[in-house]
Amino acid sequence: MKPVALSPQSRQQALDAMASGRELDILVVGGGVVGAGCALDAVTRGLSVGLVEARDWASGTSSRSSKLIHGGLRYLEMLDFRLVQEALKERGLLIQRLAPHLVHPVKFLYPLKHRFWERPYVGAGVLLYDTLGVTSGNARGLPHHRHLTRRHALREVPALKADSLVGAVQYWDAQVDDARHTMTIARTAASYGALVANRTRVVGFLRQGERVTGALVTDLETGREFEVHAKQVINATGVWTDDTQGLADTRGQFHVRASKGVHVLVPRDRVNSQSGLILRTEKSVLFVIPWGRHWLIGTTDTDWDLDKQHPAVSSRDIDYLLEHVNAVLETPLTHDDVEGVYAGLRPLLSGDAADTSKLSREHLVGHPVPGLVVVAGGKYTTYRVMAKDAVDEAVRTLDGGAAGPSVTEDVPLVGADGYRALWNRRQTLAAESGLHVVRIEHLLNRYGSLIGEVLALIREDPGLSAPLAGADDYLEAEAVYAATHEGARHLDDVLTRRTRASIESWDRGLAAADRAARLMAGPLGWSEEQVHDEVEHYRKRVAAERDAQQQPDDQTADAARLGAPDILPLG
């Protein structure tokens, strides 16, 4: 399988093929991690597949998670062993086989506050967590947990107040750049033959009597509207599940409720630690996660019924996170330490629980009307299982023999094959390219064995080896590559999802905006006016987000965030 570039040309070809009138086996609606996973699962069964996303790949929940690939230690306390074991199996697959270039180990310290009873209680839970990881049928790929005295724990995390713990347990999980991972799944699906297009909105479903037979879609870049015919449509739209079901005139067999999760980023030097932290709160848990030159702190878990495209962060959300982390830190964090902020919406299966932290993280698959399959709920780590279950349901009604079994357990994502060999050759790659070995390591952990495509851009134009001004963790070549190979259509796509400049810099990526837009202009054919419009749109977005974060509650924050218009079509 040769990797396919998600280029402007390949997007147009995919749209033309979907509009040709040829009936697809499967049309997937929604370009988050589950939708992209469905497309990959279906196409690797030998089916003809289309995948459409209204905005950008992972632009909803899938770019705004805690960026952890984990079993969910707290679910053990709820006695949800099956969910934990399933997630730990997926964690092992991702680290070992499917995406070793994108999913990496991360260690956490669990401070113990009570003598005598808490260590055996927590220790038993973490031992079970490790054991379930082994018995999931997959190599763990991670070290075993260990118990620490208070002195040893404070050496590991000097930032902790000495009186905030009596000891600790340290264990390992994994983390991922969620937006990059989701885009890579979509690109892998395209490489196996799926027709994939972002900025393509479903505005209605096609019907023959009761049966759904495809979708009416609009290319948001040009305004072109056309029909896509398919034997089965899979609705994988996350928190938009009910809205999408409504287009088919069905209330559905289950409903999705949105829960807002807020995260803040602070510079790495604000918390003196060699390990991530997991802290108990009155509702759930709080993570302090190493993230490059930052700490990622989250999350909240509150009901949200306002704008789903741009969930807003209020000052109350930030106060909550800082208050809980400061309870254990020797030197408290303040609002002035917060460099980046984002909010995501979890799609929770609706129930009678009083608050969203008690609603189900498990997923369901339904078939509300013939021709339409709906998948909802779940957690990021188990996306592949959700996709398999959804496609299983879709192919159940296809002609016998049309589809083979799911094989995604053995299908590495593009960039995975050869990653470890190239990692071992990173000094040689640095010498050959003229880049520092630290830059090569950065590229390998973002592109894996596709690093050669990025380095080829630099060979053609050596100037692209320069750091991107205003976001110097990234190279200029990466902004170009995002437009030529990774489906980026707008400046926001590059600064928010292909890179993470929007949350990793004090100015939220503003200093990088003009240069990044000009690097994208060539591949995307932008005029000077379009470059200006892209930069201006990004500036307004950042201003609206900053305004929202000064507001006291969800309603006022939402109103402030909506002050920035959405990106306009280019056509």
Side-chain angles (χ1 to χ4, degrees):
M1 181 273 297
K2 183 181 179 183
V4 167
L6 297 183
S7 64
Q9 296 75 25
S10 69
R11 177 181 179 276
Q12 188 58 53
Q13 289 164 4
L15 291 171
D16 290 343
M18 284 191 276
S20 68
R22 177 172 70 92
E23 186 181 46
L24 299 169
D25 290 320
I26 304 279
L27 173 65
V28 182
V29 183
V33 71
V34 176
C38 286
L40 178 59
D41 187 283
V43 76
T44 53
R45 294 184 192 219
L47 299 172
S48 57
V49 178
L51 169 64
V52 293
E53 158 58 39
R55 294 188 294 157
D56 183 29
W57 308 118
S59 57
T61 303
S62 295
S63 59
R64 306 179 198 189
S65 72
S66 294
K67 315 199 186 309
L68 291 177
I69 297 294
H70 64 141
L73 190 58
R74 72 187 180 94
Y75 299 129
L76 286 181
E77 206 166 30
M78 302 175 187
L79 305 181
D80 201 342
F81 303 120
R82 189 196 62 78
L83 177 65
V84 174
Q85 185 170 35
E86 181 179 79
L88 290 174
K89 175 185 176 181
E90 295 304 306
R91 183 190 70 179
L93 279 170
L94 286 161
I95 292 174
Q96 295 289 326
R97 188 185 310 163
L98 303 184
H101 56 314
L102 300 175
V103 180
H104 305 286
V106 60
K107 59 182 175 178
F108 288 99
L109 188 126
Y110 188 115
L112 301 171
K113 297 181 180 180
H114 306 281
R115 295 187 186 278
F116 308 120
W117 69 267
E118 192 177 18
R119 186 179 291 278
Y121 178 75
V122 173
V126 178
L127 175 61
L128 179 59
Y129 194 66
D130 281 350
T131 303
L132 288 172
V134 173
T135 60
S136 66
N138 243 41
R140 282 166 37 77
L142 296 172
H144 203 265
H145 78 278
R146 58 181 185 150
H147 286 264
L148 305 180
T149 63
R150 178 163 68 176
R151 183 181 300 170
H152 195 169
L154 289 171
R155 281 206 302 268
E156 186 79 7
V157 188
L160 289 173
K161 294 177 183 174
D163 62 359
S164 70
L165 73 166
V166 297
V169 177
Q170 190 168 61
Y171 74 100
W172 293 75
D173 252 322
Q175 69 179 161
V176 68
D177 183 334
D178 47 7
R180 172 154 295 280
H181 175 246
T182 296
M183 177 277 298
T184 303
I185 299 170
R187 188 174 174 189
T188 306
S191 298
Y192 279 101
L195 306 172
V196 309
N198 54 356
R199 298 285 297 169
T200 305
R201 185 186 301 278
V202 169
V203 294
F205 286 113
L206 308 179
R207 305 290 286 263
Q208 288 292 335
E210 184 189 16
R211 185 175 190 83
V212 170
T213 58
L216 181 65
V217 306
T218 300
D219 175 0
L220 295 183
E221 300 292 82
T222 64
R224 173 192 180 195
E225 192 171 272
F226 58 92
E227 295 181 349
V228 181
H229 297 274
K231 295 172 184 171
Q232 290 284 332
V233 177
I234 297 178
N235 171 10
T237 51
V239 292
W240 288 273
T241 296
D242 290 8
D243 305 83
T244 311
Q245 285 188 145
L247 295 175
D249 299 323
T250 173
R251 290 187 66 243
Q253 297 160 305
F254 46 81
H255 298 281
V256 170
R257 184 166 149 194
S259 161
K260 184 175 73 165
V262 172
H263 296 79
V264 300
L265 283 87
V266 301
R268 197 68 177 265
D269 63 5
R270 299 302 196 272
V271 180
N272 184 7
S273 177
Q274 301 173 55
S275 175
L277 291 170
I278 177 171
L279 307 171
R280 244 185 209 289
T281 69
E282 64 276 9
K283 282 188 171 185
S284 182
V285 294
L286 187 77
F287 287 103
V288 180
I289 307 165
W291 180 261
R293 292 197 283 180
H294 299 83
W295 293 103
L296 181 62
I297 302 171
T299 180
T300 61
D301 199 343
T302 54
D303 206 11
W304 179 265
D305 57 6
L306 301 168
D307 181 59
K308 293 174 187 164
Q309 289 201 42
H310 308 292
V313 178
S314 69
S315 62
R316 180 186 298 167
D317 294 323
I318 298 173
D319 287 342
Y320 172 89
L321 293 175
L322 295 182
E323 175 190 336
H324 281 80
V325 76
N326 284 340
V328 300
L329 294 182
E330 188 67 46
T331 304
L333 298 171
T334 70
H335 278 255
D336 290 339
D337 294 314
V338 174
E339 192 167 354
V341 175
Y342 67 90
L345 299 178
R346 303 177 193 86
L348 303 182
L349 297 173
S350 238
D352 297 325
D355 60 74
T356 58
S357 62
K358 294 175 185 169
L359 291 179
S360 176
R361 295 299 200 271
E362 294 197 51
H363 69 274
L364 288 177
V365 174
H367 216 136
V369 294
L372 178 65
V373 171
V374 181
V375 57
K379 57 203 290 282
Y380 193 101
T381 302
T382 55
Y383 79 91
R384 193 193 64 81
V385 179
M386 295 174 66
K388 174 186 176 297
D389 290 349
V391 178
D392 279 347
E393 178 62 26
V395 301
R396 195 171 53 79
T397 59
L398 292 180
D399 297 336
S406 176
V407 297
T408 50
E409 195 170 310
D410 296 305
V411 177
L413 302 186
V414 291
D417 280 338
Y419 160 73
R420 290 190 176 93
L422 288 169
W423 181 263
N424 291 341
R425 296 189 67 247
R426 59 194 184 278
Q427 296 285 355
T428 304
L429 289 172
E432 290 173 352
S433 65
L435 295 174
H436 193 283
V437 68
V438 171
R439 291 288 187 188
I440 294 294
E441 291 174 351
H442 159 90
L443 294 174
L444 283 169
N445 284 331
R446 285 169 54 73
Y447 306 97
S449 56
L450 299 180
I451 187 174
E453 295 179 344
V454 182
L455 296 179
L457 292 176
I458 293 173
R459 281 197 301 275
E460 292 167 15
D461 180 356
L464 295 179
S465 66
L468 180 61
D472 59 7
D473 281 351
Y474 305 94
L475 301 181
E476 289 198 349
E478 296 184 76
V480 176
Y481 187 81
T484 58
H485 287 71
E486 296 182 336
R489 301 290 305 169
H490 294 280
L491 177 61
D492 188 63
D493 302 343
V494 169
L495 295 181
T496 306
R497 286 172 290 279
R498 303 308 182 276
T499 73
R500 288 312 179 91
S502 66
I503 58 172
E504 293 174 343
S505 49
W506 289 106
D507 68 354
R508 310 288 169 92
L510 287 176
D514 187 73
R515 181 57 183 157
R518 293 185 183 283
L519 289 165
M520 297 173 70
L524 295 178
W526 290 350
S527 65
E528 185 64 31
E529 181 184 4
Q530 286 169 326
V531 169
H532 174 270
D533 288 347
E534 289 284 329
V535 174
E536 192 57 29
H537 169 268
Y538 189 78
R539 289 187 193 282
K540 288 178 179 176
R541 186 205 117 170
V542 170
E545 287 179 350
R546 287 188 183 281
D547 187 15
Q549 288 153 30
Q550 303 302 313
Q551 305 305 317
D553 54 41
D554 284 351
Q555 286 71 26
T556 51
D558 180 65
R561 177 61 185 86
L562 290 175
D566 224 338
I567 193 73
L568 294 172
L570 293 179

